[in-house]
Amino acid sequence: MKPRVWTAFILGAGLGTRLRPLTDDCPKPLLPVGGRPLVTYAMDHCISAGIRRFIVNTHYCSAAYDRAFPERSWQGWPILFRYEPVLLETAGGLKNIEDLLDPDGTLLIYNGDILSDLPLEKLLEAHAASGREITLALRSQGAVMNVSIDAGGRVCDLRGLLGNPGVRRCCFTGIYAVEKAFLERLTPGKVESVVPVFVRMIDEQPGSVGAVLIDEGRWEDIGSLEAYERIRPGVSGLRYGRQADGRGQPSTDRELAAAVPSGNGEGQAAESFVSRTLGRSREAGLALDPVGHGGSDRDYFRVTGPGIAPCVLMHYNRVREENNYYAGIA
């Protein structure tokens, strides 16, 4: 049985100093990419792995998040914002949301300024199988190779603070899974990074910090003006994993064009449904052109063809409870 992780904590409180002046009045995760906030790509990635609730910490220009998400949701899933009057860093920010978490369970943590489609399922499955409090997603290549792993694939040092090079160095993706029990190691209100906490754990109990090496997919830290300008017009080619309900989440409007009118089984079923409904054969020149993506995981397609009145196909995911009522209402 695959692990079910429902909540993601997205780090959105950073100052974005490396991207100034663009971040003078906008948090880095909200910088526009392809006409929407950068952080929404991270959210789509999380949704594809089964995440159904987001918690985002804020500090600098926090009101910008209210403007970007006036309904406090994305793709129909709720977003809880936790403001930090004093920037608490990664460990302090995590401790600051403890009261918003379930008593037990796993939390997916995701930096809000990265762009990735690495298979999150590999991280969550490795974490569930390990029984550890924490598992980091690592890459074998990257700009900053400061995580050392031992022969068993466990983290044995970070930033060389323990003087243990292990058998290889890896790049930390900024994505990891933690158990709520990990938060007991953190101090309320303390401004602290998670790195020294991880190092203390390793020093006290070698092997207590787990890791999984994931080189599949794309991963990029938007940590410079050059990196941002490269993706600013839009992102194509992201391939998120399949959701727990078996339906993939298109990552961009461009990719949405291939979501239903394609040669796969789902696309053929949609085309057959339209043909039966309109009383036309599939050879009659019907076309399904994408219109856009709506709330509650609904995709819209304009149906055109010779001799038919204009109409729209709504393709929806019935895992969302509200979607189960559409047919009855119609």
Side-chain angles (χ1 to χ4, degrees):
M1 182 177 179
K2 291 185 177 181
R4 299 306 301 268
V5 180
W6 303 108
T7 302
F9 177 40
I10 296 184
L11 301 172
L15 299 177
T17 55
R18 293 179 295 172
L19 266 70
R20 287 177 177 168
L22 299 178
T23 54
D24 282 348
D25 56 3
C26 178
K28 182 162 63 169
L30 295 184
L31 289 174
V33 174
R36 60 187 176 107
L38 170 62
V39 71
T40 61
Y41 293 88
M43 291 177 174
D44 281 350
H45 193 195
C46 291
I47 290 170
S48 76
I51 293 299
R52 296 297 178 258
R53 183 177 73 140
F54 298 100
I55 302 173
V56 180
N57 66 336
T58 69
H59 171 69
Y60 177 66
C61 295
S62 62
Y65 282 97
D66 293 326
R67 294 191 295 271
F69 300 98
E71 297 181 357
R72 300 207 165 202
S73 67
W74 176 251
Q75 304 285 24
W77 300 113
I79 306 172
L80 304 177
F81 293 104
R82 176 54 59 89
Y83 175 64
E84 298 175 11
V86 175
L87 187 60
L88 295 172
E89 300 292 347
T90 50
L94 179 55
K95 184 67 173 179
N96 196 43
I97 66 164
E98 188 172 18
D99 62 305
L100 301 178
L101 305 179
D102 296 329
D104 299 302
T106 305
L107 180 68
L108 178 65
I109 300 181
Y110 202 120
N111 283 358
D113 59 356
I114 58 177
L115 185 69
S116 180
D117 62 357
L118 63 82
L120 290 172
E121 294 81 0
K122 285 194 171 185
L123 167 64
L124 300 178
E125 289 169 6
H127 177 72
S130 73
R132 294 186 178 91
E133 290 181 10
I134 184 162
T135 305
L136 310 182
L138 306 179
R139 306 278 279 189
S140 62
Q141 299 292 328
V144 182
M145 307 285 284
N146 61 4
V147 179
S148 300
I149 58 175
D150 61 20
R154 301 163 301 187
V155 178
C156 60
D157 201 356
L158 291 96
R159 301 179 182 173
L161 296 176
L162 295 174
N164 185 356
V167 298
R168 68 182 302 178
R169 292 184 182 274
C170 299
C171 174
F172 177 40
T173 63
I175 304 173
Y176 54 108
V178 302
E179 298 301 306
K180 189 178 180 182
F182 170 77
L183 277 65
E184 296 176 5
R185 301 177 181 273
L186 309 179
T187 303
K190 183 177 181 179
V191 178
E192 184 178 26
S193 165
V194 292
V195 171
V197 182
F198 296 163
V199 170
R200 288 197 297 270
M201 290 177 63
I202 297 167
D203 193 35
E204 295 169 1
Q205 184 180 351
S208 57
V209 177
V212 57
L213 194 62
I214 305 177
D215 283 333
E216 299 96 324
R218 178 176 178 176
W219 178 84
E220 187 172 0
D221 175 16
I222 313 304
S224 68
L225 289 170
E226 293 76 14
Y228 172 64
E229 290 300 333
R230 185 170 61 251
I231 67 165
R232 183 174 191 168
V235 181
S236 62
L238 292 177
R239 291 292 181 266
Y240 299 142
R242 299 186 69 80
Q243 296 182 24
D245 61 4
R247 182 164 183 263
Q249 172 69 37
S251 57
T252 67
D253 289 341
R254 186 178 304 170
E255 290 167 357
L256 180 61
V260 171
S262 65
N264 60 27
E266 189 173 40
Q268 292 172 359
E271 292 168 2
S272 296
F273 170 79
V274 172
S275 299
R276 292 195 308 271
T277 302
L278 298 180
R280 297 296 182 93
S281 70
R282 293 182 61 188
E283 292 74 29
L286 296 177
L288 275 64
D289 299 315
V291 176
H293 187 70
S296 299
D297 203 5
R298 302 192 300 270
D299 297 327
Y300 296 91
F301 297 83
R302 181 175 293 106
V303 181
T304 58
I308 66 170
C311 56
V312 171
L313 166 69
M314 180 175 71
H315 184 269
Y316 58 90
N317 172 5
R318 295 191 66 174
V319 168
R320 297 298 302 277
E321 182 179 0
E322 62 269 30
N323 287 345
N324 292 315
Y325 301 115
Y326 290 147
I329 292 171

